[in-house]
Amino acid sequence: MTVRVVVIGAGGRLGGFACRLLEAEPGFGVVARVGRGDDLAAIAGRHAGAVALEVTVAGRGALHAETCVRAGLPTVVGTSGVTDDEQRALDRLARERATGVLILPNFSRGAALLAALAQQAARLFPDVELIERHRPTKRDAPSGTARRLASELEALTGKPVPIHSLRLPGSDATHELTFGARGESFSIVHEARGLEAYADGILRSLAAVHDVVGARRGWTAL
């Protein structure tokens, strides 16, 4: 069975990569490429049985996911900026429509592991700061991954987590957490060296979303 995919943001850097990946991967195929100015509701309505992949710009993911869910398409959101309130609203809508939404603003396995290790480290080192580095063309600063990491750690430690955002030529997507305590420090670093780091997450999430009801966030939802 082929997973038929509507790619929203197909003209972007990640969207273009996703299209090439899906067309080369057995068991997947692109049935529609949605760009700026296209009628998403109409396109989604013409592709019953497909899955939507939302990879546009930060802050647009929830709106596009809502449109797709209303058309009956399970949706993977790979865009940062989906708030907890938006996730709850998507969860209610998706359950009403008996379909699913997966929210993975970072498709990398290493980023998921970074978040899990950070939770463990924060129980012993409650003082932490975060440095994130990206290419100069990345629009959001801090990154969605950095904001989510900081929010989760702040909820656990009760302390603010300063974020230092660097936008420099030659930088890939890097997130570095440094924890400090009396006489010692502990650092965790994840580097995504190119879009290939996101390939497995894209494929796994698109294959898994058909089995989801409601809206779930993160690799643990796969």
Side-chain angles (χ1 to χ4, degrees), residues 74-124:
T75 303
V76 174
V77 179
T79 300
S80 62
V82 177
T83 67
D84 291 340
D85 286 343
E86 288 173 333
Q87 181 181 348
R88 284 189 285 268
L90 284 172
D91 185 69
R92 289 191 296 270
L93 178 63
R95 290 181 186 279
E96 290 171 3
R97 303 301 174 100
T99 191
V101 177
L102 285 174
I103 303 166
L104 282 86
N106 193 317
F107 287 108
S108 163
R109 290 173 292 186
L113 183 57
L114 174 69
L117 293 173
Q119 293 281 312
Q120 296 182 49
R123 291 180 172 87
L124 297 175

